[in-house]
């Protein structure tokens, strides 16, 4: 009975999330409570289940509040504007250099883990050059998608934080395991940019070097033109190097694991906002500007604790796993984590992030543990492909923002990017196995 209730709850959640019928926060709270009541549990027991789940999500929710606000303020201050401008100018009239610079800007731009921000920083800056060079805009979107997919493995990235919640560990702890694979992903993204640039050059992309000086300044002019007077007033170009150094220190402390990640961002946010916006009114304005995004994501993560707690503590997940286990051919079951790693990208495209990590992942973990496969092993295989699918998923709003800015049809974008991104996900999975981060 618990198994049936669990699957009905899971399928209902997936359906409602895909159809956009309700907020994830509402679904993560209401559906588990209803399922618990149908399963015969008392309100007191359901409250205990939910409390146990919330213990797993609280620290990561706090991390999101302060990390999103920190990187939002860094973006307001124009932390990487100087670097991006210099990179674009140095690329000159080289098609390959332009595609490589796109990859670097995408990687740098996604340090904040915000998909919309990365799209707005990268595409308006590079699209004018792509048009003048006669490089297909699909190439720009593909490189940005790869960069975002790789960088979203950071501890403040949504998938990593959600996976950490399911595993019941700190997001920073999971990220430290993923770092070698992420480094491979960064080099793979740059390599992809070189390959795509070479392909575009063979197709005839490029322009007359006599126009070089004008084209070098075009991207910066186009990007500035998209900014309002208020946005320009927030820029702090003289503090760019301080902000870059501060962010480097933040990442260094996170890698060293000296203190909890959310404490690191609390301290960094305080320093950043005092230095960049010493006026109290400006400080409050910047915090209020980024509060909606920070609080919405953090509230969703806290609400997911109710779902995770009821699903696990009630025995519902165990019952669901036993049902699924009876349906899987015995010769395939010991390799379920690898199978899920291979198909993670196509599944991730059509299954929303919350449904994938809070619904599918716990179920696969429970089944895999029957065959001695650790929860961490399953999580590592399933997060890689899903991350890379980020900007080709119709369920991600930034996908429509990106295709709109580049004036590319969604179907053409997916058709062009799918194979390349699928290859990147498989490469990262393969290196995970080679590095023995993922066990066969």
């Amino acid at each position: 009975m618990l198994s049936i209730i669990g699957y009905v709850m899971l399928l209902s959640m997936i359906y409602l999330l895909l159809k956009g019928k309700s907020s994830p926060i509402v679904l993560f709270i209401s559906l588990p409570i209803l399922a618990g009541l149908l399963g015969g549990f008392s309100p007191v027991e359901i409250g205990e289940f939910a409390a146990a789940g919330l213990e797993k999500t609280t620290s990561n929710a706090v991390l999101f509040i302060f990390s999103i606000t920190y990187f939002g303020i860094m973006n307001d201050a124009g932390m990487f504007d100087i670097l991006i401008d210099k990179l674009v100018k140095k690329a000159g009239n080289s098609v390959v250099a332009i595609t490589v610079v796109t990859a670097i800007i995408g990687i740098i731009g996604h340090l904040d883990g915000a998909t919309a921000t990365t799209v707005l920083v990268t595409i308006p800056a590079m699209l004018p050059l792509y048009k003048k060079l006669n490089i297909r805009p699909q190439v720009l979107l593909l490189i940005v998608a790869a960069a975002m997919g790789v960088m979203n493995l950071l501890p403040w990235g949504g998938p990593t934080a959600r996976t950490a919640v399911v595993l019941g560990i700190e997001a920073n702890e999971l990220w430290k395991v993923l770092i070698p694979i992420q480094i491979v992903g960064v080099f793979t993204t740059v390599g992809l940019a070189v390959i795509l640039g070479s392909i575009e050059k063979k197709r005839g992309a490029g322009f007359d070097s006599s126009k070089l000086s004008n084209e070098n300044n075009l991207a910066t002019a186009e990007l500035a033109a998209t900014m309002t007077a208020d946005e320009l007033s927030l820029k702090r170009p003289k503090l760019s190097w301080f902000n870059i150094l501060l962010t480097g220190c933040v990442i260094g402390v996170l890698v060293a694991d000296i203190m909890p990640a959310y404490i690191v961002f609390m301290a960094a946010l305080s320093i950043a906002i005092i230095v960049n916006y010493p006026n109290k009114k400006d400080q409050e304005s910047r915090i209020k500007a980024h509060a909606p995004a920070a609080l919405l994501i953090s509230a969703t993560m806290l609400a997911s604790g109710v779902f995770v707690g009821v699903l696990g503590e009630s025995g519902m997940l165990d019952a669901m796993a036993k049902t699924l286990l009876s349906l899987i051919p015995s010769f395939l079951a010991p390799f379920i984590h690898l199978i899920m790693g291979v198909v993670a990208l196509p599944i991730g495209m059509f299954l929303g992030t919350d449904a994938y990590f809070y619904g599918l992942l716990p179920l696969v973990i429970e089944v895999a543990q029957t065959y001695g496969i650790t929860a961490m092993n399953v999580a590592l295989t399933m997060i890689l492909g899903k991350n890379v699918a980020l900007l080709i998923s119709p369920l991600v709003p930034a996908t429509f923002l990106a295709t709109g800015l580049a004036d590319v049809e969604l179907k053409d974008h997916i058709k062009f990017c799918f194979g390349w991104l699928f290859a990147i996900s498989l490469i990262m999975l393969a290196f995970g196995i080679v590095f023995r981060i993922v066990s066969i």
Side-chain angles (χ1 to χ4, degrees):
M1 187 64 178
L2 273 181
S3 176
I4 295 173
I5 293 172
Y7 277 112
V8 170
M9 177 182 70
L10 180 59
L11 293 174
S12 298
M13 184 188 73
I14 292 172
Y15 172 79
L16 293 170
L17 285 172
L18 292 178
K19 291 294 184 179
K21 298 291 185 180
S22 181
S23 164
I25 295 175
V26 175
L27 295 177
F28 286 144
I29 296 172
S30 60
L31 288 180
I33 292 175
L34 179 59
L37 292 172
L38 291 174
F41 297 100
S42 69
V44 174
E45 290 175 310
I46 294 172
E48 291 173 351
F49 299 156
L54 283 168
E55 288 180 6
K56 299 178 181 179
T57 62
T58 302
S59 61
N60 287 321
V62 175
L63 168 64
F64 258 70
I65 291 173
F66 288 94
S67 63
I68 289 173
T69 306
Y70 172 80
F71 280 109
I73 288 171
M74 290 292 97
N75 185 60
D76 292 339
M79 178 172 65
F80 292 117
D81 286 357
I82 293 176
L83 285 178
I84 290 172
D85 187 36
K86 287 184 178 180
L87 284 171
V88 171
K89 288 182 178 180
K90 282 191 173 292
N93 64 342
S94 168
V95 175
V96 174
I98 288 293
T99 54
V100 170
V101 164
T102 304
I104 295 172
I105 293 175
I107 289 166
I108 292 173
H110 203 61
L111 273 172
D112 64 350
T115 53
T117 301
T118 306
V119 167
L120 290 170
V121 166
T122 308
I123 295 178
M126 301 306 296
L127 188 59
L129 283 174
Y130 273 66
K131 288 180 177 179
K132 295 295 181 180
L133 284 163
N134 196 30
I135 303 174
R136 290 172 291 178
Q138 290 94 327
V139 173
L140 171 58
L141 291 177
L142 171 55
I143 296 172
V144 173
M148 288 172 62
V150 168
M151 292 306 293
N152 221 32
L153 291 173
L154 290 166
W156 50 90
T160 303
R162 287 173 173 87
T163 304
V165 167
V166 172
L167 294 176
I169 62 176
E170 295 286 336
N172 200 46
E173 185 179 341
L174 176 60
W175 176 54
K176 287 195 297 181
V177 178
L178 287 166
I179 287 175
I181 305 178
Q182 188 174 31
I183 292 172
V184 169
V186 167
F187 280 104
T188 303
T189 299
V190 174
L192 171 66
V194 172
I195 293 170
L196 291 172
S198 300
I199 291 173
E200 292 302 293
K201 190 175 181 180
K202 289 179 180 178
R203 293 182 67 254
F207 58 77
D208 189 340
S209 60
S210 64
K211 301 177 183 178
L212 179 58
S213 60
N214 289 333
E215 304 305 335
N216 278 339
N217 295 321
L218 182 59
T220 302
E222 289 283 340
L223 184 58
T226 64
M227 295 183 184
T228 64
D230 288 341
E231 289 172 331
L232 288 171
S233 70
L234 294 173
K235 299 300 179 184
R236 299 291 186 268
K238 293 181 180 180
L239 294 172
S240 290
W241 293 109
F242 169 81
N243 291 331
I244 291 171
L245 180 62
L246 176 61
T247 302
C249 291
V250 167
I251 294 173
V253 173
L254 289 173
V255 173
D257 200 18
I258 298 172
M259 62 180 73
Y262 58 89
I263 299 295
V264 176
F265 276 104
M266 282 180 170
L269 173 61
S270 299
I271 296 169
I273 202 165
I274 289 171
V275 173
N276 287 277
Y277 305 103
N279 182 276
K280 180 187 175 221
K281 185 178 179 181
D282 290 338
Q283 291 175 359
E284 291 177 346
S285 172
R286 289 304 85 218
I287 291 173
K288 286 179 181 178
H290 300 290
L295 290 176
L296 179 61
I297 296 174
S298 300
T300 303
M301 186 148 292
L302 287 171
S304 72
V306 178
F307 176 80
V308 171
V310 172
L311 193 66
E313 299 296 321
S314 67
M316 204 175 293
L317 184 61
D318 184 54
M320 293 167 67
K322 288 178 180 176
T323 300
L324 182 61
L325 194 59
S326 65
L327 302 175
I328 298 176
S330 58
F331 69 94
L332 288 178
F335 307 102
I336 189 171
H337 63 307
L338 297 177
I339 294 170
M340 293 306 301
V342 170
V343 301
L345 185 136
I347 291 177
M349 280 181 60
F350 300 106
L351 197 63
T353 304
D354 291 321
Y356 183 90
F357 287 106
Y358 294 137
L360 182 61
L361 177 59
L363 190 58
V364 177
I365 286 175
E366 195 70 20
V367 172
Q369 286 179 332
T370 307
Y371 290 88
I373 304 168
T374 66
M376 177 66 81
N377 214 12
V378 175
L380 291 171
T381 60
M382 289 186 64
I383 194 175
L384 298 177
K386 176 65 177 75
N387 254 20
V388 182
L390 185 67
L391 204 62
I392 57 172
S393 172
L395 302 175
V396 176
T399 300
F400 297 97
L401 175 62
T403 54
L405 288 171
D407 195 23
V408 174
E409 291 285 339
L410 179 62
K411 60 181 177 61
D412 296 330
H413 168 55
I414 294 175
K415 183 179 179 182
F416 186 85
C417 296
F418 181 85
W420 292 102
L421 295 176
F422 197 15
I424 290 176
S425 73
L426 295 179
I427 289 170
M428 292 172 70
L429 177 60
F431 271 94
I433 295 171
V434 170
F435 293 156
R436 296 187 178 180
I437 295 172
V438 173
S439 301
I440 298 177

